[in-house]
Amino acid sequence: MTGSENGSYYITTPIYYVNDKPHIGHAYTTLACDVLARFKRLDGYDVKFLTGTDEHGQKVETSAEKAGIDPQTFTDQVSQNFRDLTKTCNYSNDDFIRTTEDRHKKACQKLWQVLEDKGFIYLGSYAGWYAVRDEAFYTETELTKNADGKRIAPTGAEVEWVEEPSYFFKLSAFEDELLALYENDPSFVGPDSRRNEVISFVKGGLRDLSVSRTTFNWGVQVPGNDDHIMYVWLDALTNYLTAVGYPDESATEYKNFWPADLHMVGKDILRFHAIYWPAFLMAADLPLPKRIFAHGWWTNEGQKISKSVGNVIDPNALIEEYGLDQVRYFMMREVPFGKDGDYSKQAMISRMNGDLANDIGNLAQRVLSMVFKNCEGKIPEHGDFTDADKELLDSVTALHDKLRNDFDKQSFHRGLESVWNVISAANKYVDEQAPWTLKKTDLARMGTVLYVLTETIRQIAILLQPVMPESMETMLNQLNLPADARTFSDLKIALSTGVEIDKPQGVFPRYIEEEGA
């Protein structure tokens, strides 16, 4: 089934900066968006899922110089690493945007022109502290000094004093309007702890924002003044509009998908998305996105991740070691989404061997093996359902609404916890009903028990497709479930009896740690 009986859904990752290789943080953000995009498609939505790369700015120009190549060649190479990651991690993005594309330059220059025509951009001069790494300006009160006496931004980046002509956006004009937005729509920024930080920052007072630079050339030129390059955030944030056809507001994608349903970001760039971006849109009289959610950061075995320490987690290495769907499940299940979390090898192995191999893997393997061996390899007929049967079936039927509610709040771990509660109940049901004993005493009852369990497995596998698409495809294939019968609307259609199934194979092997590893 395709179509959009539930309407459209537009979800975006931030566009990733191309001065380095992708790491677990990039994989994490995009995975969360992929899970939601897949969920919404299965739930009957017309989905647009966007990711891409941010390729302008002083940092990129400097990195290209160090590499001894021109900025465009540099960004072509590094952007490809992020595009490759989408394939490695099996992301289902519909578009991949690069800020060096012509479509994006046109969108940026049009938005700039609108803001200038409406009186929200003016030419002045800038003097202040600037962090090249963050592409952000900071006030004196935000800075600290390190052991060398150098001023440091809250992110840990060194700042430098910058004086140059600059265009400014009248951000200060939007204080009241932004605070009213946060108050009238509490779900606009999530989670609540981050929303409170944003409100506190705006209440502290907003200064007009420098939106152009003259000290480097790698960026989108300001319309009518070639000496100025657009400041990276006005350039970067516009990508969300570019991808749906802006400035053509009559474009089909723009009409279908704007405003965006969800901008997913890391907590370090929330301010730009929750303050600057809505202010730009308000100034341009454009609709605001419906929600911005900021997730936390990962540590590695309890240590903060940093290149200098050498403990950066490469998602490609994780996948090679543990398997793609195992990594996808771990990242969505291990940590309450929105909070910081710790990656550890033992936690990964525990999830693989406990949740996956022992719980869902063992449930599917032993149930389908009994069906294959004792029911002529066919989904068995069933009699009347007992209270125990109904209890299990009702619990699995209730999962769809629970998952939808939790995923709409980006509470992935909670949704998955609900699924595993049902998996545990199903494993308990197997032990209590003992179909191997019923085989000797009551074949009809054995068939009913195995039907209930097979139906439970079918619904769980359909629901887990967004998180572990390849593994759940394998599980559903073992039921010989037609490819067009795997959406969430199919959950309501009971499993057909008499269908031949394939001899089951284990979907989640146990992870055996090699000695000395």
Side-chain angles (χ1 to χ4, degrees):
M1 180 201 75
T2 58
S4 57
E5 66 266 28
N6 284 338
S8 60
Y9 190 83
Y10 181 25
I11 184 169
T12 70
T13 74
I15 48 173
Y16 301 119
Y17 214 55
V18 294
N19 67 319
D20 212 340
K21 291 188 293 188
H23 55 66
I24 193 170
H26 304 121
Y28 188 49
T29 317
T30 314
L31 172 58
C33 290
D34 182 59
V35 168
L36 262 174
R38 289 176 180 273
F39 190 93
K40 291 294 180 182
R41 289 190 198 103
L42 289 167
D43 219 8
Y45 287 81
D46 182 14
V47 172
K48 183 174 178 71
F49 166 22
L50 174 70
T51 189
T53 44
D54 180 7
E55 304 182 14
H56 289 140
Q58 190 173 354
K59 210 166 23 169
V60 171
E61 191 174 76
T62 303
S63 295
E65 284 174 11
K66 285 181 182 174
I69 53 180
D70 66 276
Q72 187 63 60
T73 302
F74 176 81
T75 57
D76 287 346
Q77 291 174 359
V78 185
S79 178
Q80 189 60 46
N81 293 333
F82 288 88
R83 200 181 285 266
D84 291 343
L85 187 69
T86 65
K87 294 176 183 173
T88 303
C89 295
N90 195 16
Y91 300 141
S92 61
N93 53 295
D94 304 285
D95 196 355
F96 188 100
I97 191 164
R98 300 179 60 190
T99 54
T100 49
E101 295 176 51
D102 285 341
R103 61 171 173 160
H104 181 65
K105 293 173 187 174
K106 288 174 187 170
C108 287
Q109 291 177 328
K110 174 62 176 179
L111 183 60
W112 179 287
Q113 201 67 63
V114 169
L115 296 175
E116 193 170 31
D117 291 347
K118 289 179 178 288
F120 289 107
I121 287 181
Y122 62 92
L123 184 60
S125 61
Y126 182 83
W129 296 105
Y130 182 73
V132 173
R133 195 183 85 186
D134 300 341
E135 300 284 9
F137 295 101
Y138 293 98
T139 63
E140 184 82 40
T141 56
E142 291 180 280
L143 305 178
T144 55
K145 286 187 178 180
N146 66 11
D148 299 328
K150 293 180 179 177
R151 285 177 171 81
I152 302 296
T155 59
E158 285 188 17
V159 296
E160 59 188 42
W161 186 260
V162 172
E163 293 187 32
E164 61 179 303
S166 176
Y167 284 94
F168 287 82
F169 171 74
K170 292 183 180 178
L171 184 64
S172 59
F174 291 91
E175 265 184 45
D176 292 343
E177 208 171 336
L178 286 166
L179 289 172
L181 167 66
Y182 309 141
E183 183 177 345
N184 296 333
D185 184 4
S187 67
F188 181 73
V189 178
D192 288 344
S193 59
R194 302 289 171 216
R195 174 176 171 269
N196 294 336
E197 289 172 13
V198 169
I199 291 172
S200 177
F201 184 86
V202 175
K203 282 184 174 177
L206 295 178
R207 298 184 310 149
D208 288 352
L209 182 69
S210 172
V211 289
S212 77
R213 302 291 305 278
T214 58
T215 50
F216 61 92
N217 299 313
W218 185 241
V220 180
Q221 289 184 329
V222 167
N225 192 338
D226 293 351
D227 292 336
H228 286 256
I229 294 296
M230 285 189 200
Y231 168 56
V232 69
W233 285 104
L234 183 54
D235 169 359
L237 291 162
T238 305
N239 91 88
Y240 305 129
L241 285 172
T242 303
V244 291
Y246 184 83
D248 181 3
E249 293 178 44
S250 65
T252 301
E253 284 215 320
Y254 184 91
K255 290 193 288 187
N256 283 353
F257 293 113
W258 193 260
D261 291 270
L262 179 65
H263 292 320
M264 187 80 80
V265 299
K267 65 180 184 179
D268 54 322
I269 55 172
L270 176 61
R271 181 192 303 179
F272 310 111
H273 284 79
I275 300 173
Y276 300 176
W277 183 224
F280 293 156
L281 294 169
M282 288 169 177
D285 290 324
L286 291 170
L288 305 186
K290 297 172 189 173
R291 181 165 168 81
I292 298 158
F293 190 92
H295 65 72
W297 290 344
W298 286 88
T299 52
N300 186 353
E301 304 283 357
Q303 274 193 315
K304 185 177 177 181
I305 292 174
S306 83
K307 282 201 292 187
S308 58
V309 174
N311 65 345
V312 174
I313 301 172
D314 178 1
N316 295 287
L318 282 187
I319 290 163
E320 192 172 329
E321 174 73 14
Y322 302 114
L324 173 56
D325 278 359
Q326 286 85 342
V327 171
R328 286 175 62 108
Y329 173 74
F330 174 83
M331 292 173 75
M332 289 294 96
R333 178 70 176 86
E334 180 68 11
V335 177
F337 197 76
K339 295 186 178 180
D340 292 344
D342 185 51
Y343 163 80
S344 76
K345 183 169 185 175
Q346 282 312 308
M348 171 70 81
I349 294 171
S350 176
R351 290 290 179 195
M352 289 173 66
N353 288 346
D355 298 11
L356 298 180
N358 286 356
D359 294 345
I360 187 172
N362 187 45
L363 174 69
Q365 179 67 9
R366 64 175 175 162
V367 168
L368 298 184
S369 293
M370 282 187 277
V371 170
F372 188 81
K373 185 177 179 183
N374 301 313
C375 303
E376 299 178 342
K378 297 176 183 176
I379 305 294
E381 301 290 334
H382 64 82
D384 293 337
F385 294 133
T386 66
D387 288 345
D389 302 340
K390 290 174 186 174
E391 185 179 355
L392 181 57
L393 290 171
D394 287 348
S395 68
V396 76
T397 301
L399 282 177
H400 179 211
D401 284 341
K402 281 185 181 177
L403 281 175
R404 183 193 282 143
N405 184 52
D406 286 332
F407 282 19
D408 278 344
K409 296 173 185 171
Q410 290 73 63
S411 190
F412 303 106
H413 68 290
R414 186 157 303 179
L416 290 171
E417 189 177 359
S418 296
V419 175
W420 254 258
N421 287 339
V422 175
I423 290 169
S424 295
N427 275 313
K428 185 179 177 187
Y429 172 91
V430 177
D431 295 336
E432 290 174 346
Q433 299 299 322
W436 49 88
T437 301
L438 292 170
K439 177 186 175 185
K440 302 170 187 171
T441 60
D442 192 341
L443 279 175
R445 178 62 192 156
M446 179 198 76
T448 299
V449 167
L450 292 177
Y451 176 88
V452 168
L453 286 163
T454 307
E455 169 65 340
T456 300
I457 291 164
R458 176 189 76 99
Q459 291 199 37
I460 287 170
I462 287 174
L463 289 166
L464 287 177
Q465 287 176 104
V467 180
M468 297 182 285
E470 291 180 349
S471 304
M472 293 306 104
E473 181 182 18
T474 300
M475 199 169 281
L476 292 168
N477 286 347
Q478 291 186 10
L479 294 174
N480 272 337
L481 196 68
D484 61 356
R486 301 181 181 189
T487 69
F488 294 161
S489 62
D490 296 303
L491 293 167
K492 299 170 185 172
I493 303 168
L495 180 65
S496 298
T497 60
V499 176
E500 289 190 12
I501 68 166
D502 297 333
K503 183 176 182 180
Q505 304 292 326
V507 177
F508 294 111
R510 287 185 63 79
Y511 181 86
I512 308 297
E513 203 168 353
E514 294 179 17
E515 286 189 29

